[in-house]
């Protein structure tokens, strides 16, 4: 069997009960078929034997190397290091997956892990959620990708997510917002307001320092701003404008604060823990009798980005404000309405008409020996005509 992986062809066949699978390193299908045929012929003649390939390490053996890689690669992101190591620990707790060699991981092995894992209970006495299992499978996928990059693996299995993962799409309504903020004790109240109006990740909010807060607008700017030095994605580094209420809140905190951190912890030397705000939020949520599974503290960021989309912000603007790694993530916040689509066609019609009129006027002046008009002049004239028409309509009355 000949098949293509990436830009090159591979072949696969069975010889004396042994599966033979090799890359031809060729992009030409005919050449690949000839190479497969030659290999079959040589094996049949006994000219060459089946080459014994080096045995790949088990998941447990490779896990040690992967842990060292994570320490080095994400040294500046301790939360990422903790995430991968915790998921790795969960994977290695399963004896079957831990003892499986990397090259033997296939759909059957992965399905077995899913079945065993979803029958286990969490520390809260509930069945392990599909989301938790999927994060562990994603970590395994990263491990295998790294093994492939290091040429330990010749190929990668397809890892399918476990179905049934709950998507948290809770949005704080404008009606609920004041009730929630009023119920929040400090510093959650101020942190929540900051996230609601800037879309910061919780980790970015608690990691904010006063040197990165600029309450006065820069030259030619209307608002103050905060600077995010980096974070989860390559686009996390960004500057975000401050709304009036966030600006006022930060001024009050700065006047009363004695720490370099905007949200200091128990001591001024360190920022407050993310887990501390998470626990406080959970208490407020229960007091307000809100849906536990949906309204997490990250919902505040989701709310802000949803509001941006409703306000008409384009997907690229949302991506820059959110610090998303790709525009794909930002697309779910943009929901064009029939009205916005109609306005888009109106703008297109105006642009096409303006360009056409400018070209016609230029052609007439050129024929008369005059200088060509600029497009900006034509646009100005069109707007003057439209304004005059509006005034005439208003004067005429209903």
């Amino acid at each position: 069997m000949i098949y293509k992986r990436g830009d090159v062809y591979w072949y696969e066949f069975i010889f004396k009960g042994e599966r033979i699978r090799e890359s031809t390193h060729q992009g030409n299908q005919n050449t690949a078929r000839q190479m497969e045929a030659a290999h079959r012929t040589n094996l049949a003649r006994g000219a060459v034997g089946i080459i014994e390939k080096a045995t790949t390490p088990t998941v447990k053996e490779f896990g040690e190397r992967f842990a060292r890689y994570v320490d080095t690669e994400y040294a500046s992101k301790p939360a990422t290091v903790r995430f991968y190591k915790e998921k790795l620990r969960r994977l290695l707790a399963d004896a079957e997956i831990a003892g499986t060699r990397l090259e033997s991981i296939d759909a059957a092995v992965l399905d077995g892990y899913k079945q065993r894992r979803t029958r286990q209970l969490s520390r809260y006495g509930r069945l392990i959620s599909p989301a938790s299992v999927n994060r562990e499978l994603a970590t395994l996928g990263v491990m295998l990708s790294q093994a492939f990059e290091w040429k330990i693996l010749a190929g990668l299995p397809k890892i399918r997510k476990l179905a049934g993962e709950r998507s948290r799409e809770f949005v704080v309504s404008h009606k609920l917002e004041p009730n929630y903020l009023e119920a929040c004790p400090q510093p959650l109240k101020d942190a929540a307001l900051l996230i609601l109006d800037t879309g910061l990740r919780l980790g970015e909010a608690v990691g904010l320092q006063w040197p990165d807060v600029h309450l006065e607008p820069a030259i030619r700017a209307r608002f103050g701003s905060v600077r995010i030095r980096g974070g989860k994605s390559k686009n996390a580094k960004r500057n975000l404008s401050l709304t009036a209420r966030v600006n006022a809140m930060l001024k009050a905190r700065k006047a009363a604060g004695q720490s370099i951190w905007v949200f200091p912890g128990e001591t001024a030397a360190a920022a407050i823990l993310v887990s501390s705000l998470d626990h406080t939020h959970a208490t407020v949520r229960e007091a307000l009798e809100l849906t536990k599974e949906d309204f997490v503290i990250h919902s505040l960021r989701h709310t802000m980005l949803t509001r941006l989309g409703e306000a008409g912000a384009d997907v690229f603007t949302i991506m820059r404000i959110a610090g998303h790694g790709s525009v794909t993530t930002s697309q779910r916040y943009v929901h064009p309405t029939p009205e916005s689509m109609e306005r888009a066609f109106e703008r297109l019609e105006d642009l096409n008409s303006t360009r056409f009129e400018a070209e016609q006027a230029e052609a007439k002046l050129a024929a008369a020996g005059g200088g060509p008009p600029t497009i900006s002049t034509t646009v100005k004239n069109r707007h003057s005509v439209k304004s005059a028409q509006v005034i005439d309509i208003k004067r005429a009355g209903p």
Side-chain angles (χ1 to χ4, degrees), residues 111-256:
D111 286 343
Y113 179 75
K114 293 175 186 177
Q115 293 171 19
R116 292 190 300 276
R117 192 74 175 105
T118 50
R119 287 197 295 264
Q120 297 174 5
L121 298 179
S122 69
R123 57 181 175 177
Y124 302 109
R126 298 190 294 266
L127 289 174
I128 297 297
S129 69
S132 295
V133 179
N134 286 339
R135 300 296 84 75
E136 294 159 13
L137 292 172
T139 299
L140 180 60
V142 174
M143 291 177 62
L144 295 175
S145 296
Q146 202 56 46
F148 178 77
E149 185 174 327
W150 289 336
K151 302 187 184 304
I152 296 173
L153 277 178
L156 291 173
K158 185 174 182 61
I159 299 181
R160 298 184 183 279
K161 287 185 177 182
L162 188 63
E165 182 171 347
R166 188 184 183 94
S167 179
R168 289 171 174 163
E169 300 292 339
F170 187 90
V171 173
V172 180
S173 67
H174 286 92
K175 181 179 180 181
L176 172 61
E177 181 184 308
N179 296 333
Y180 169 74
L181 292 176
E182 186 63 29
C184 288
Q186 293 291 10
L188 176 59
K189 181 177 182 178
D190 288 351
L193 179 61
L194 177 65
I195 297 172
L196 274 169
D197 278 16
T198 61
L200 289 178
R201 299 178 176 92
L202 179 57
E204 294 171 339
V206 301
L208 199 61
Q209 297 183 356
W210 286 116
D212 294 322
V213 176
H214 306 283
L215 298 174
E216 297 302 322
I219 298 175
R220 292 189 297 276
R222 180 180 172 188
F223 304 104
S225 63
V226 292
R227 178 189 179 194
I228 308 303
R229 295 179 178 269
K232 184 177 179 181
S233 73
K234 62 182 180 180
N235 294 328
K237 183 178 179 180
R238 61 203 191 278
N239 292 317
L240 299 172
S241 299
L242 301 175
T243 61
R245 62 176 183 170
V246 169
N247 195 299
M249 176 273 289
L250 290 173
K251 282 182 179 179
R253 289 195 72 83
K254 189 172 186 180

Side-chain angles (χ1 to χ4, degrees), residues 187 203 205-210 253 257-274 276-277:
V206 301
L208 199 61
Q209 297 183 356
W210 286 116
R253 289 195 72 83
Q258 300 293 325
S259 171
I260 192 174
W261 302 96
V262 175
F263 299 104
E266 295 182 358
T267 66
I272 191 171
L273 297 176
V274 167
S276 177
L277 291 180

Side-chain angles (χ1 to χ4, degrees), residues 330-374:
S330 311
Q331 285 177 339
R332 61 184 177 138
Y333 296 104
V334 178
H335 306 287
T337 63
E339 292 76 14
S340 64
M341 294 174 67
E342 179 75 12
R343 287 195 297 272
F345 278 96
E346 288 176 356
R347 290 191 292 269
L348 176 64
E349 180 71 13
D350 285 344
L351 174 64
N352 290 339
S353 298
T354 299
R355 299 277 178 165
F356 178 76
E357 290 178 11
E359 290 174 0
Q360 292 294 311
E362 182 179 348
K364 289 181 180 179
L365 283 177
T374 63

